[in-house]
Amino acid sequence: MTLQLGVLISGRGSNLQAILDAIAAGTLDARVRLVVANRPDAAGLTRAKAAGITTAVVEHKAFGDRTTFEHALVALLTRASCDWIVLAGFMRILTREFLSAFPERVVNIHPSLLPAFPGLDAQAQALAYGVHVTGCTVHLVDEGVDHGPILAQTTLEVEPADTRDILAGRLLEKEHALLIATLAAIASDRLSIEPAATGDARPTARWRGAPPRV
Ligand code: GRF
């Protein structure tokens, strides 16, 4: 099943680039239908345009409240026929307003082993805490910050020479690989999401075979 992706970004867009490269290389069965940035200066917009992808800027500052901002996002993404949404460095928290439009189909990549170090600058948080092992997580998005059912994780040992930037760079390579492996697994039905059975339960990720180790 070819994933029809909407990708939300706020900045650099290297995870978006990894998606575009994997599609071009034939390793990810997906089409990016729309890239939306909440900042007009997001560098990822240039990457999308270079790949011939439709882009939109929806500046959160232009909206009076979160609800109308999210309505605008949902309208664009549904009009573009997106069925999966990838948060690729999107720096806004999404509420039920947005999430209910794409139930269990919003994916985020985060540079830590969640539930450790959610929020901003997870790499610096991990270094400051003194962990010996960190990693990255791809998860379904719920209403918490960097929160929701985990789809895939990979680990990385912290080296003595790691500064925040060195560690972030080493993690970024892992992020790209893990994000692509997870999306490819969804597209090929090796990873499926079982909806929550009751109001209290969370959806569950079911892997056919082992989850990726990247
Ligand atoms: C990545 O580290 C991602 O995990 C986090 O924000 C960063 C975005 O980087 N959520 P990029 O814009 O994809 O290069």
Side-chain angles (χ1 to χ4, degrees):
M1 155 195 63
T2 305
L3 305 181
Q4 307 296 327
L5 299 179
V7 183
L8 270 51
I9 61 170
S10 297
R12 179 177 57 184
S14 72
N15 280 287
L16 165 67
Q17 189 68 58
I19 293 172
L20 296 172
D21 292 348
I23 293 172
T27 51
L28 172 60
D29 182 11
R31 177 170 164 199
V32 178
R33 313 252 355 177
L34 182 65
V35 170
V36 186
N38 66 316
R39 301 171 51 113
D41 58 351
L45 289 169
T46 310
R47 298 178 188 264
K49 286 177 192 152
I53 308 293
T54 307
T55 62
V57 175
V58 182
E59 283 191 85
H60 58 277
K61 284 185 284 188
F63 293 83
D65 55 37
R66 235 178 245 279
T67 306
T68 48
F69 168 62
E70 292 189 7
H71 275 162
L73 289 178
V74 169
L76 281 171
L77 292 162
T78 48
R79 209 178 304 143
S81 304
C82 302
D83 56 13
W84 283 85
I85 309 301
V86 181
L87 309 185
F90 185 65
M91 305 301 280
R92 306 297 300 169
I93 295 165
L94 294 169
T95 70
R96 188 186 299 265
E97 210 62 48
F98 182 92
L99 297 173
S100 60
F102 305 99
E104 282 122 37
R105 283 173 173 242
V106 182
V107 169
N108 183 42
I109 172 87
H110 183 75
S112 76
L113 290 176
L114 292 172
F117 312 127
L120 290 178
D121 212 344
Q123 305 93 333
Q125 291 187 56
L127 273 185
Y129 198 94
V131 295
H132 292 198
V133 177
T134 185
C136 54
T137 305
V138 178
H139 66 98
L140 289 183
V141 176
D142 67 14
E143 289 170 67
V145 175
D146 297 317
H147 195 268
I150 287 171
L151 301 180
Q153 287 186 309
T154 196
T155 58
L156 181 71
E157 288 191 18
V158 178
E159 304 288 349
D162 275 334
T163 60
R164 185 264 169 213
D165 288 350
I166 293 172
L167 181 62
R170 297 201 301 121
L171 269 173
L172 197 59
E173 287 177 30
K174 294 264 186 185
E175 288 185 40
H176 297 162
L178 193 71
L179 180 60
I180 300 311
T182 307
L183 293 174
I186 294 171
S188 62
D189 266 343
R190 280 176 294 121
L191 170 59
S192 54
I193 316 298
E194 270 178 27
T198 67
D200 294 341
R202 305 197 318 164
T204 318
R206 291 256 177 264
W207 281 89
R208 270 202 293 121
R213 295 269 173 268
V214 300

